[in-house]
Amino acid sequence: MNLSTPIQYVKGIGPKTAERFHRLDVETVGDLLCLYPRDYVDYSHPSTVATAPFEGNCVVRAEIYSKQGETRVKGGKKMTKVMAGDSSAMLELIWFNNPYIAEKLVVGQEYLFFGKAGGNLDKRVMIAPVMHPLTGAPPITPIYPQTEGINSTFIGRCVSMILSELEEEIPEPLPLEMLQRYRLLSKKTSVHAIHFPASLEQAMAARRRLIFEELLVLQLGLLLLRSRDKQTTAPVMKPIDPTPFFDSLPFRPTNAQQRACEEILQDLTQKTPMNRLLQGDVGSGKTLVAAAAVYVAFQNGFQSVLMAPTEILARQHASTLEKMLSPFGVQTALLTGGMRVAAKRETLAAIAEGNAHLIVGTHAVLSDGVQFSNLGVAITDEQHRFGVQQRQTLARKGQTPHILVMSATPIPRTLALLMYGDLDISILDELPPGRTPVKTLAITSKKRGDMFQFLEEQIETGRQVYLVCPLIEESERTSAEMKSVKSYLEDVVRPLLSNYRIGLMHGKLKPKEKEAVMQEFKEGLLDVLVSTTVIEVGVDVPNATVMVIENAERYGLSALHQLRGRVGRGGGESWCILVSDHTGDAVQQRLRFLCSTTDGFEIARYDLENRGPGDFFGKRQHGLPALKLADLMTDTRALKAAQKDALEIFSNDPRLDNYPVLADEVQQLFEQNTSMN
Ligand code: ADP
Ligand code: MG
């Protein structure tokens, strides 16, 4: 056995269990050592029975007083009860269908019990706690991420066995000098200690060391990619004056839009590929800037591609851009999943022959069947980064276009630079004139009646409203999502707005159906759109003036702000109503904050400081490889140090010849993640 041995050859792990390990991304013995505990049970500081917290799990030390034997309870289960306690309180221990633990317990002896301590102040109760004898228990036990059929104890046993055999073979990627300078544990020690620490302090020290290494590898990988980027040559374009394009628009570009355009057009004339992030709050007019880039590429004889996160958005972009650019002869092609075979074949041919100048679609536009004739500019909308893999895909097709990433979620500049190194940033810090800020209010469901009254008034004046229905947990997605949006429509919305035309939109609809619903809403044939978050980004219906978001507590502020950005686009007075019955302080504070500002930058900053659920770094939106331990938001100091060291290593030894182990890790990190995005 060595570190690259497939997991199924480990003693005790057969093909079936190996299959389950694969679900945790564990393929080899080495991978298993990198499956780090998500938490620990600390048996070294047990609570007394009385002081055991009611919330969460804890370890309690108690003496066995008496065993009460087995009784049969409802459902045919056998219940075993044991009375225990200490000088502070009584503790009742209960197991179901598990007489074995009780058999092992000896009356008059003390044990440690781990689990949730419920009951009341007179008598605490633990149901099915984990038991350890007072002596011989490891002081700290790891808790691993679980998957069906593998429990934490089993994982711990496997790791322990592997470590006892292979610990000495774990190579050290970091130079000794670096370990000393930052007082880091050796790799061997930290791998052992993160699984089986002698104390929580040691676990922290191990984490610190592994986080540093992870960030160093990440930074080295980014430097490597970037240097490859620099060696590639993008199409060099001649400078083109965008004035004719600007003059053709029904409005004047804002100063911010003009500035961003200048920056981009300058980049396009260089042979180093552009790598630019265009940040602008919802409604700041990023599409126009993208159109200017397409215009210039077209005048230079190059194609452009624009990728959107959803089909709805792709369609909307295609139609907006076509309107703006067709007067100049730009042929726009929309490429979607649901296309008929013949139409698709035709479109692909037009792209390959260079007759389509702007190709718009979802990520599918990078799929194998698509061959560009001469791609000059690649743009993504509402995505934090043009992913490593997308770049590689294009390179395999022989294309090294200039890259523009558009995002409505402002990342503070310092953070963006830390994360992406020398990515350039253009900022649209100015909204087009004539916008009235959206009024935002937070209510509880008690006020739902009043709210629907208000919606009715709005609809009566000819306006349209969005109702975003309760979000479904990630794990219950798909059919549950559909069920919940449907029952929300039938049980809540329809009875209250029975006289109006209501549309329904959710992720399970076919693209054609989604398109049809959206189109009806756009054309004013629907008064109300009940939807899941598929409308989240970019959809533009100026006549819609109210956005209602149910279960608002389930979203991060940035997501709420995005949803709010769907209204307030037509110059009329607009409202965003956040419905939540959540009474937690943090939630209330978050929602109040959103009510108090419409400044996307402020909101992003708040999100960064008080991370809420589903916030924008939570879902790998940044396009970086997934990290196991490090957190780009909170490990800033380590990130800075790692970045500095990576630069130093890289400038002296760009091929990492003297750092073979690091070089391997860099390769692994970026390879493993080629399936991302
Ligand atoms: P976002 O940055 O959110 O993608 P869009 O590009 O969708 O914003 O623009 C939002 C709306 O503002 C669109 O209806 C667009 O036509 C309009 N718009 C863009 N630029 C200007 C401008 N300079 N003056 C007036 N309206 C503009
Ligand atoms: Mg947009």
Side-chain angles (χ1 to χ4, degrees):
M1 180 166 76
N2 60 41
L3 292 172
S4 49
T5 305
I7 198 80
Q8 78 221 50
Y9 301 122
V10 173
K11 230 182 291 150
I13 300 181
K16 229 196 189 129
T17 314
E19 200 48 51
R20 293 179 174 147
F21 269 116
H22 294 170
R23 266 181 254 149
L24 294 168
D25 279 336
V26 172
E27 306 280 339
T28 65
V29 166
D31 292 343
L32 184 51
L33 292 185
C34 293
L35 180 69
Y36 301 128
R38 58 177 173 77
D39 206 351
Y40 302 94
V41 184
D42 181 0
Y43 285 98
S44 64
H45 295 88
S47 307
T48 64
V49 177
T51 60
F54 281 88
E55 287 288 311
N57 288 323
C58 61
V59 175
V60 179
R61 173 177 173 162
E63 183 188 328
I64 305 301
Y65 295 155
S66 67
K67 301 191 195 181
Q68 314 224 317
E70 252 177 40
T71 43
R72 231 168 232 293
V73 291
K74 255 187 286 170
K77 281 188 193 166
K78 280 188 200 149
M79 180 169 85
T80 314
K81 254 192 204 175
V82 173
M83 290 312 296
D86 59 14
S87 58
S88 73
M90 291 291 284
L91 175 65
E92 188 173 70
L93 303 164
I94 296 174
W95 286 274
F96 291 102
N97 288 343
N98 188 351
Y100 318 106
I101 292 194
E103 275 164 24
K104 281 191 216 156
L105 298 171
V106 178
V107 172
Q109 294 232 347
E110 285 185 291
Y111 297 87
L112 299 170
F113 298 98
F114 167 71
K116 200 169 148 24
N120 53 43
L121 289 175
D122 291 334
K123 187 177 75 183
R124 305 300 301 272
V125 179
M126 290 180 98
I127 295 174
V130 175
M131 179 274 286
H132 269 295
L134 207 48
T135 51
I140 314 262
T141 316
I143 305 177
Y144 291 96
Q146 294 191 9
T147 188
E148 203 194 314
I150 314 183
N151 66 30
S152 207
T153 317
F154 179 72
I155 296 177
R157 265 211 312 274
C158 293
V159 172
S160 163
M161 190 182 70
I162 292 169
L163 275 178
S164 66
E165 209 169 310
L166 291 182
E167 190 164 335
E168 291 310 311
E169 286 177 37
I170 297 174
E172 177 57 66
L174 304 186
L176 186 62
E177 174 276 321
M178 198 182 275
L179 295 181
Q180 287 168 343
R181 181 155 38 103
Y182 294 122
R183 300 201 194 141
L184 298 173
L185 300 176
S186 75
K187 175 87 178 214
K188 233 169 32 196
T189 313
S190 30
V191 171
H192 189 111
I194 198 161
H195 291 287
F196 307 107
S199 64
L200 288 180
E201 289 72 35
Q202 200 199 23
M204 286 310 291
R207 269 182 78 86
R208 191 169 76 87
R209 137 82 211 215
L210 294 169
I211 283 173
F212 179 79
E213 180 180 323
E214 197 169 34
L215 293 171
L216 185 74
V217 169
L218 173 72
Q219 292 294 331
L220 280 171
L222 290 176
L223 284 171
L224 215 66
L225 283 172
R226 219 169 291 138
S227 78
R228 271 187 221 150
D229 257 15
K230 291 229 161 91
Q231 288 157 18
T232 60
T233 322
V236 180
M237 304 196 188
K238 22 178 231 304
I240 297 281
D241 180 6
T243 311
F245 169 65
F246 288 156
D247 287 348
S248 74
L249 298 169
F251 42 69
R252 270 173 48 85
T254 62
N255 291 332
Q257 284 170 324
Q258 283 186 30
R259 203 166 46 234
C261 287
E262 274 163 33
E263 287 163 349
I264 289 165
L265 302 191
Q266 171 66 26
D267 287 353
L268 297 183
T269 63
Q270 309 296 312
K271 77 177 204 295
T272 309
M274 170 169 79
N275 187 25
R276 188 173 283 278
L277 173 65
L278 175 63
Q279 289 190 344
D281 210 344
V282 275
S284 59
K286 293 183 290 294
T287 317
L288 184 157
V289 178
V294 176
Y295 174 84
V296 170
F298 171 73
Q299 299 291 354
N300 273 280
F302 287 104
Q303 291 174 307
S304 302
V305 63
L306 188 144
M307 275 176 277
T310 62
E311 288 216 9
I312 296 183
L313 272 183
R315 284 166 198 277
Q316 184 178 293
H317 272 310
S319 104
T320 317
L321 290 166
E322 172 145 49
K323 267 189 221 120
M324 285 187 192
L325 293 166
S326 61
F328 300 97
V330 175
Q331 290 293 330
T332 300
L334 175 68
L335 204 59
T336 63
M339 274 172 104
R340 286 184 192 283
V341 179
K344 186 161 185 181
R345 197 182 304 131
E346 215 169 280
T347 307
L348 288 177
I351 298 170
E353 287 155 18
N355 297 329
H357 310 116
L358 168 62
I359 298 94
V360 183
T362 59
H363 280 131
V365 295
L366 290 192
S367 69
D368 288 341
V370 186
Q371 270 310 328
F372 297 98
S373 146
N374 54 351
L375 187 61
V377 179
I379 306 168
T380 60
D381 191 21
E382 308 297 355
Q383 221 122 35
H384 280 289
R385 190 162 194 264
F386 196 81
V388 174
Q389 192 221 354
Q390 296 169 321
R391 238 172 243 271
Q392 284 168 351
T393 310
L394 282 175
R396 272 201 302 278
K397 293 173 189 282
Q399 310 284 349
T400 51
H402 296 283
I403 286 164
L404 179 67
V405 178
M406 306 197 287
S407 171
T409 324
I411 310 168
R413 192 177 190 94
T414 43
L415 182 71
L417 289 176
L418 264 179
M419 285 167 58
Y420 305 130
D422 63 359
L423 179 98
D424 294 307
I425 305 177
S426 296
I427 296 176
L428 299 183
D429 52 4
E430 182 186 356
L431 291 182
R435 299 273 165 86
T436 36
V438 179
K439 288 202 180 116
T440 309
L441 37 145
I443 62 166
T444 62
S445 58
K446 281 203 200 97
K447 288 264 173 75
R448 199 180 267 129
D450 295 349
M451 178 182 87
F452 273 92
Q453 181 97 46
F454 173 71
L455 296 183
E456 200 170 335
E457 286 162 20
Q458 283 291 305
I459 299 169
E460 282 298 322
T461 65
R463 299 303 198 170
Q464 291 162 281
V465 305
Y466 291 105
L467 285 160
V468 173
C469 86
L471 184 72
I472 302 288
E473 300 291 336
E474 199 69 48
S475 57
E476 332 163 308
R477 275 287 154 94
T478 60
S479 56
E481 168 175 306
M482 195 169 68
K483 223 166 86 195
S484 112
V485 68
K486 278 189 176 155
S487 66
Y488 178 68
L489 170 67
E490 299 305 337
D491 303 344
V492 181
V493 183
R494 226 191 273 288
L496 288 165
L497 294 173
S498 52
N499 292 328
Y500 302 102
R501 299 162 299 176
I502 306 174
L504 177 66
M505 176 86 124
H506 56 78
K508 276 253 165 153
L509 290 180
K510 297 210 178 76
K512 277 241 156 66
E513 299 169 324
K514 277 191 211 162
E515 166 77 352
V517 175
M518 208 58 228
Q519 199 56 38
E520 282 177 49
F521 191 64
K522 265 189 165 177
E523 287 171 12
L525 301 174
L526 295 172
D527 305 303
V528 181
L529 187 62
V530 173
S531 175
T532 60
T533 49
V534 288
I535 50 153
E536 185 170 338
V537 281
V539 176
D540 200 18
V541 181
N543 189 47
T545 52
V546 189
M547 165 66 68
V548 175
I549 304 166
E550 296 274 357
N551 283 106
E553 75 280 355
R554 299 217 187 160
Y555 303 84
L557 281 191
S558 296
L560 291 173
H561 180 61
Q562 291 273 355
L563 285 168
R564 177 169 64 179
R566 299 308 109 226
V567 294
R569 307 190 135 227
E573 192 160 35
S574 300
W575 290 267
C576 173
I577 304 174
L578 309 168
V579 187
S580 175
D581 289 332
H582 210 280
T583 50
D585 282 350
V587 168
Q588 289 301 322
Q589 206 181 343
R590 235 157 23 97
L591 297 183
R592 270 203 306 275
F593 182 80
L594 194 73
C595 295
S596 73
T597 183
T598 52
D599 180 334
F601 266 95
E602 285 285 313
I603 290 163
R605 182 143 6 111
Y606 189 94
D607 247 1
L608 291 178
E609 285 163 9
N610 316 273
R611 303 179 64 186
D615 55 81
F616 53 91
F617 291 104
K619 293 187 190 151
R620 284 221 231 153
Q621 281 184 346
H622 46 59
L624 293 172
L627 300 173
K628 288 189 192 314
L629 289 174
D631 180 325
L632 293 171
M633 299 311 308
T634 51
D635 295 319
T636 355
R637 264 184 47 202
L639 184 58
K640 275 185 190 147
Q643 189 165 47
K644 194 168 131 277
D645 284 304
L647 253 177
E648 203 172 295
I649 292 176
F650 193 75
S651 51
N652 293 324
D653 182 4
R655 293 195 326 191
L656 302 182
D657 288 333
N658 297 313
Y659 305 88
V661 186
L662 266 184
D664 270 359
E665 290 193 353
V666 170
Q667 198 177 351
Q668 267 180 32
L669 179 67
F670 282 85
E671 257 176 16
Q672 267 174 15
N673 285 282
T674 45
S675 59
M676 68 189 193
N677 289 318

